[in-house]
Amino acid sequence: MIGSSWLLVMLAAVQSVAAETHVFNWTTGWGNYNVDGGAERPVITCNGEFPWPDVRVKKGDQVEVYLKNGFDDRNTSMHFHGLFQNGTNSMDGPPMVVQCPIGPGDTFLYNFTVDDNVGTYWYHSHTAGQYQDGMRGAFVIEDDDFPYDYDEDVILQLGEWYHDTTDVLNPKFMSVYNPTGAEPIPQNLIMNNTRNMTWEVQPDTTYLLRVINTGGFVSQYFWIEDHEFDVVEVDGIYTEKNTTDMIYITTAQRYTLLLHTKNDTSRNYAIMTKFDDTMLDLLPKDLQLNSTNYLIYNTSADKPTESYVDELAPLDDFYLVPYQKEEALGDPDYRVVVNVTMDNLVSGINYAFFNNLTYTAPVVPTLFTVLSADEDDVKNPEIYGSNINAFVLDKDEIVEIVLNNEDTGTHPFHLHGHAFQVMVRDVTYDDALGETPHAYDENDHPDFPEYPMIRDTLYVRPQSNFVIRFKANNPGVWMFHCHIEWHLTQGLAIILIEDPESIKATQSQQLSDNHKSVCANVGMATEGNAAGNTDDFFNLKGEPIQEKFIPDGFTAKGIVAMTFSCLAGVLGLIMIAIYGLMDISNVEEKVIDELHLDADKVAAVDVDDVDDIDNDETSSISAAREEVVNK
Ligand SMILES: *[C@@H]1O[C@H](CO)[C@@H](O)[C@H](O)[C@H]1NC(C)=O
Ligand SMILES: *[C@@H]1O[C@H](CO)[C@@H](O)[C@H](O)[C@H]1NC(C)=O
Ligand SMILES: *[C@@H]1O[C@H](CO)[C@@H](O)[C@H](O)[C@H]1NC(C)=O
Ligand SMILES: *[C@@H]1O[C@H](CO)[C@@H](O)[C@H](O)[C@H]1NC(C)=O
Ligand SMILES: *[C@@H]1O[C@H](CO)[C@@H](O)[C@H](O)[C@H]1NC(C)=O
Ligand SMILES: *[C@@H]1O[C@H](CO)[C@@H](O)[C@H](O)[C@H]1NC(C)=O
Ligand SMILES: *[C@@H]1O[C@H](CO)[C@@H](O)[C@H](O)[C@H]1NC(C)=O
Ligand SMILES: *[C@@H]1O[C@H](CO)[C@@H](O)[C@H](O)[C@H]1NC(C)=O
Ligand SMILES: *[C@@H]1O[C@H](CO)[C@@H](O)[C@H](O)[C@H]1NC(C)=O
Ligand SMILES: *[C@@H]1O[C@H](CO)[C@@H](O)[C@H](O)[C@H]1NC(C)=O
Ligand SMILES: *[C@@H]1O[C@H](CO)[C@@H](O)[C@H](O)[C@H]1NC(C)=O
Ligand SMILES: *[C@@H]1O[C@H](CO)[C@@H](O)[C@H](O)[C@H]1NC(C)=O
Ligand SMILES: [Cu+2]
């Protein structure tokens, strides 16, 4: 016994000595590619190539990514999704949260150790919509102690694809002409950055299939004709095997599957993905909801046709059990309750809110506020500003996040810096059946699981709620946000400031010289509160804040008249082209319904009267409208 434990110690020592440093030099750029076979369009390249490379490292390795901004007209950044960045918060990626934007021509060094994570991850730009234009790739951390046997390790990236770049779609999405906040409809689902993909397999072989949804919007159903598989990992957490024939995977989630191939190689099978079409505001007639790719056993045999199923019944990840059975965390020391809504602000643009606040980036990145504030002040959320939803967490406390979704959509939420236990995920409350939003009730909820599922991205159902818990054992400034890129653009984010005293006191958390020069090059200060004030951290004069809500009473007359005059005018062309609104016969009723307006009042509004209403808010709406019309 003594001998073997000594051997283990030796092995551990050998392993740590063997830790490697992987250096990547990546320069961003643009190239034209026909990804889905439907249209060529500009795509973000890495060193002139697309797609971006897979990263494969081992637990304990050091990663150094030199990210050079090769664009001439925009900033960039990189996030390594799911990595805890324990002690290296400034390497996490989100601009204005932990770093300055990287300006054109500049290089940022992302330098971190992958000590606390194993399994399947990915990386992507954390700058507005860039990853939907292709700036993303797989990141795998291999582990000598992986608990299951397999023969071959294969990555499979899922996503959706648009024929337009984010530059084209975003202004139309965040527009007064899109008052319901309808997300642009993708043209196709893609698999490994193509369609009609073929995967040649060997018979009687166990594949470890790492399925990653690197898309920016829709969740997908995934199944393989006449095959079952075992789920063994979700979001970097190994699970007890759970055999199923279908998974449901939101953007940013990962499922690792053991797929054992058949002995019989006489025919081939369909690998199917399907849009979760409940997430689409409308269904263009030519949109193909099912997408077929091919599992090839025999290259001489025909490709199969599509494989449809009678019922979409995916595994419910809530019931997965982590391999290292970790007991449910006890009662929280601190509870964050956030309510999700979507609404129009006075410009008429549709935003997303946590507790009535749409995330509005501060003047200096929040991490820099932690690093530059007085030690006595860092635990006071005020200095971080009034429009970022800052919550300060104490060292090692048990934190509970209760999320109440008052919106009728499904949203996948991602927490940076942690994987969390899922205590509750409530059922759908269907507005089409007259059901209203259900908030979590701590005195009336289902029993918590004994060994809750743990992951870093979790969806909430329509008008429903979830409850997650984690231990605040990773000092840093961490974003919690919807991983639908459109909704992040609409401001669906909060900021957790975890153990700020320790951040300040830790050498590895200080900004590197490279980081400071990246800030200097975009003219950004590295000190100050949310308003950039370095003298008085409680003086927030000048902090960026959201525009006003539409005042009561004004709503029906203003926004609706505006909307309909738009619909009848310029809008007709823009929205119909982008969202296919032409397909909706009752668009006016739909707008009235989604904006919760009184239909009778709306009918009484004379469109031509709008500009005559003498009211500040009206004029700012009119101004915003003019501005867009004149573009
Ligand atoms: C990567 O870039 C660094 C810094 O610019 C340079 O020192 C290094 O030689 C480059 N390495 C490779 C493999 O290109
Ligand atoms: C995939 O197949 C569809 C339908 O046959 C075709 O339109 C499309 O161009 C193909 N795409 C690729 C990338 O092969
Ligand atoms: C890049 O970021 C800096 C600092 O926030 C900003 O001043 C600049 O306008 C940004 N550049 C572009 C092209 O958005
Ligand atoms: C990356 O970080 C490690 C650990 O702090 C450090 O030893 C190394 O010098 C850094 N690499 C560079 C290129 O700065
Ligand atoms: C999918 O693409 C990745 C590269 O991102 C590659 O490693 C993998 O082998 C591909 N998978 C299949 C099934 O072809
Ligand atoms: C597949 O073939 C192997 C030997 O090649 C055999 O051991 C195994 O039992 C076969 N499996 C099935 C399901 O027939
Ligand atoms: C592969 O498919 C071809 C064409 O259908 C068939 O003739 C052949 O027997 C198949 N091979 C195997 C090993 O089943
Ligand atoms: C897509 O697949 C689903 C599930 O298999 C099936 O019910 C549906 O009919 C298919 N839709 C189309 C348009 O093919
Ligand atoms: C597998 O998942 C199902 C739900 O889809 C659940 O009922 C079952 O308990 C799970 N079993 C294990 C071992 O994870
Ligand atoms: C969230 O909604 C619930 C239920 O409507 C309400 O009780 C609670 O006060 C709200 N919380 C916040 C922070 O607005
Ligand atoms: C959000 O706004 C609603 C409606 O104006 C109000 O009832 C509610 O109290 C606000 N919630 C918070 C947390 O401010
Ligand atoms: C971060 O590291 C500390 C000590 O080095 C450890 O106690 C803690 O569990 C780690 N946190 C995470 C999220 O891995
Ligand atoms: Cu969302």
Side-chain angles (χ1 to χ4, degrees):
M1 278 317 285
I2 289 171
S4 73
S5 58
W6 179 79
L7 191 65
L8 281 177
V9 170
M10 279 299 287
L11 279 173
V14 168
Q15 264 178 14
S16 66
V17 166
E20 256 185 82
T21 298
H22 304 260
V23 181
F24 301 89
N25 282 1
W26 290 344
T27 302
T28 66
W30 290 99
N32 286 321
Y33 288 82
N34 188 342
V35 167
D36 63 355
E40 193 173 271
R41 51 152 283 186
V43 167
I44 298 179
T45 54
C46 177
N47 302 334
E49 286 173 23
F50 182 81
W52 285 61
D54 294 342
V55 174
R56 271 187 189 274
V57 300
K58 285 206 157 186
K59 186 171 156 60
D61 285 355
Q62 188 77 19
V63 176
E64 296 180 358
V65 175
Y66 290 87
L67 181 70
K68 179 169 181 189
N69 181 347
F71 304 129
D72 51 19
D73 62 347
R74 69 197 64 209
N75 298 321
T76 195
S77 62
M78 191 68 91
H79 168 57
F80 299 86
H81 184 112
L83 301 196
F84 295 153
Q85 299 289 6
N86 198 343
T88 50
N89 185 217
S90 63
M91 299 295 143
D92 190 46
M96 306 322 292
V97 180
V98 299
Q99 71 164 88
C100 297
I102 307 165
D106 217 351
T107 301
F108 190 97
L109 168 60
Y110 291 95
N111 182 10
F112 53 87
T113 311
V114 287
D115 262 341
D116 297 323
N117 297 91
V118 285
T120 312
Y121 300 85
W122 62 300
Y123 62 87
H124 62 85
S125 167
H126 220 287
T127 301
Q130 286 176 357
Y131 89 77
Q132 292 183 294
D133 289 334
M135 192 169 162
R136 49 176 160 64
F139 193 113
V140 171
I141 304 168
E142 294 172 351
D143 175 9
D144 292 335
D145 299 326
F146 185 69
Y148 300 106
D149 292 330
Y150 59 90
D151 300 309
E152 223 182 294
D153 176 335
V154 175
I155 293 166
L156 199 59
Q157 281 188 53
L158 311 184
E160 77 275 295
W161 196 247
Y162 292 95
H163 286 168
D164 286 304
T165 58
T166 313
D167 276 356
V168 172
L169 296 174
N170 229 3
K172 291 171 180 165
F173 171 61
M174 294 299 285
S175 155
V176 63
Y177 298 130
N178 182 25
T180 64
E183 301 82 7
I185 307 293
Q187 273 63 52
N188 279 302
L189 293 183
I190 53 173
M191 189 175 280
N192 259 11
N193 292 299
T194 187
R195 287 179 71 201
N196 322 316
M197 184 202 76
T198 56
W199 177 26
E200 284 179 36
V201 290
Q202 298 299 316
D204 197 22
T205 300
T206 304
Y207 289 90
L208 184 74
L209 189 59
R210 301 178 186 272
V211 185
I212 313 173
N213 188 343
T214 63
F217 177 19
V218 291
S219 304
Q220 301 188 28
Y221 296 90
F222 172 94
W223 69 98
I224 304 178
E225 178 185 10
D226 200 26
H227 284 70
E228 288 190 331
F229 37 76
D230 300 323
V231 173
V232 292
E233 179 215 321
V234 286
D235 297 357
I237 306 296
Y238 301 150
T239 65
E240 296 207 325
K241 276 188 193 176
N242 198 317
T243 308
T244 184
D245 55 13
M246 185 181 286
I247 54 168
Y248 176 83
I249 180 167
T250 75
T251 56
Q253 287 187 330
R254 290 86 68 207
Y255 279 87
T256 299
L257 314 172
L258 288 177
L259 174 71
H260 190 83
T261 52
K262 295 175 187 293
N263 279 8
D264 174 5
T265 59
S266 58
R267 59 158 295 197
N268 300 317
Y269 298 85
I271 305 174
M272 299 297 300
T273 50
K274 181 173 188 293
F275 276 97
D276 175 357
D277 54 17
T278 66
M279 296 173 81
L280 305 177
D281 276 38
L282 51 98
L283 296 175
K285 288 193 192 75
D286 57 353
L287 181 68
Q288 217 175 306
L289 293 175
N290 295 294
S291 174
T292 309
N293 296 275
Y294 306 99
L295 188 69
I296 305 288
Y297 281 86
N298 178 343
T299 47
S300 325
D302 289 340
K303 283 183 185 158
T305 52
E306 312 85 328
S307 157
Y308 296 151
V309 291
D310 296 334
E311 197 195 357
L312 291 165
L315 173 102
D316 184 343
D317 59 327
F318 181 80
Y319 298 102
L320 289 172
V321 177
Y323 184 78
Q324 284 179 325
K325 292 199 172 89
E326 201 179 279
E327 279 177 23
L329 291 167
D331 288 342
D333 302 303
Y334 183 60
R335 175 179 287 145
V336 175
V337 180
V338 282
N339 296 351
V340 173
T341 51
M342 301 187 101
D343 204 352
N344 302 74
L345 292 182
V346 72
S347 65
I349 293 172
N350 192 272
Y351 287 89
F353 304 85
F354 274 120
N355 295 349
N356 295 349
L357 290 180
T358 184
Y359 175 83
T360 306
V363 169
V364 300
T366 303
L367 171 63
F368 301 4
T369 302
V370 173
L371 293 172
S372 59
D374 209 71
E375 203 179 332
D376 297 335
D377 299 336
V378 284
K379 292 178 81 172
N380 191 327
E382 261 179 64
I383 64 172
Y384 305 109
S386 61
N387 221 149
I388 68 162
N389 263 317
F391 296 91
V392 177
L393 314 181
D394 284 339
K395 179 178 167 55
D396 289 336
E397 69 181 352
I398 305 299
V399 180
E400 176 172 278
I401 299 181
V402 174
L403 183 143
N404 299 315
N405 177 18
E406 295 178 25
D407 180 60
T408 53
T410 299
H411 301 265
F413 287 96
H414 170 47
L415 175 60
H416 288 225
H418 289 276
F420 45 75
Q421 292 189 342
V422 183
M423 313 305 292
V424 172
R425 179 171 55 199
D426 204 353
V427 298
T428 296
Y429 295 95
D430 189 349
D431 67 322
L433 302 177
E435 291 173 327
T436 51
H438 270 57
Y440 171 68
D441 180 350
E442 70 170 303
N443 298 313
D444 181 17
H445 62 79
D447 288 342
F448 295 146
E450 188 178 5
Y451 304 112
M453 195 256 296
I454 301 176
R455 64 186 317 165
D456 64 37
T457 307
L458 177 74
Y459 67 82
V460 66
R461 297 190 170 97
Q463 301 198 107
S464 185
N465 60 81
F466 69 51
V467 178
I468 61 177
R469 287 182 185 169
F470 61 94
K471 186 174 175 189
N473 59 5
N474 190 11
V477 175
W478 307 115
M479 233 184 173
F480 173 76
H481 66 91
C482 180
H483 220 291
I484 292 176
E485 191 72 349
W486 304 113
H487 298 172
L488 182 54
T489 301
Q490 284 176 295
L492 202 45
I494 65 174
I495 304 294
L496 304 181
I497 297 159
E498 182 169 337
D499 191 6
E501 287 158 320
S502 151
I503 301 174
K504 277 184 84 67
T506 304
Q507 184 53 38
S508 66
Q509 300 275 24
Q510 308 305 309
L511 303 185
S512 65
D513 290 342
N514 162 258
H515 197 154
K516 287 181 191 156
S517 83
V518 163
C519 294
N521 292 344
V522 288
M524 185 164 283
T526 52
E527 296 183 338
N529 67 6
N533 193 324
T534 49
D535 299 329
D536 177 2
F537 274 71
F538 292 93
N539 179 353
L540 288 157
K541 195 162 180 294
E543 67 161 331
I545 52 166
Q546 68 199 44
E547 38 174 293
K548 287 188 188 141
F549 277 93
I550 295 168
D552 285 347
F554 171 74
T555 306
K557 274 192 178 234
I559 194 109
V560 171
M562 173 187 70
T563 300
F564 290 144
S565 62
C566 295
L567 274 172
V570 183
L571 166 70
L573 299 172
I574 302 177
M575 285 244 305
I576 286 166
I578 299 304
Y579 303 114
L581 268 183
M582 197 112 72
D583 291 349
I584 311 179
S585 50
N586 59 339
V587 61
E588 300 196 358
E589 286 94 83
K590 198 166 148 61
V591 170
I592 291 169
D593 186 50
E594 293 205 1
L595 294 178
H596 308 294
L597 303 172
D598 181 333
D600 293 336
K601 277 190 201 151
V602 171
V605 174
D606 181 346
V607 166
D608 296 329
D609 285 349
V610 187
D611 291 336
D612 301 337
I613 303 172
D614 188 20
N615 169 311
D616 278 355
E617 271 75 25
T618 330
S619 37
S620 68
I621 289 190
S622 303
R625 175 181 152 201
E626 291 300 312
E627 197 184 300
V628 186
V629 170
N630 292 335
K631 264 189 191 159

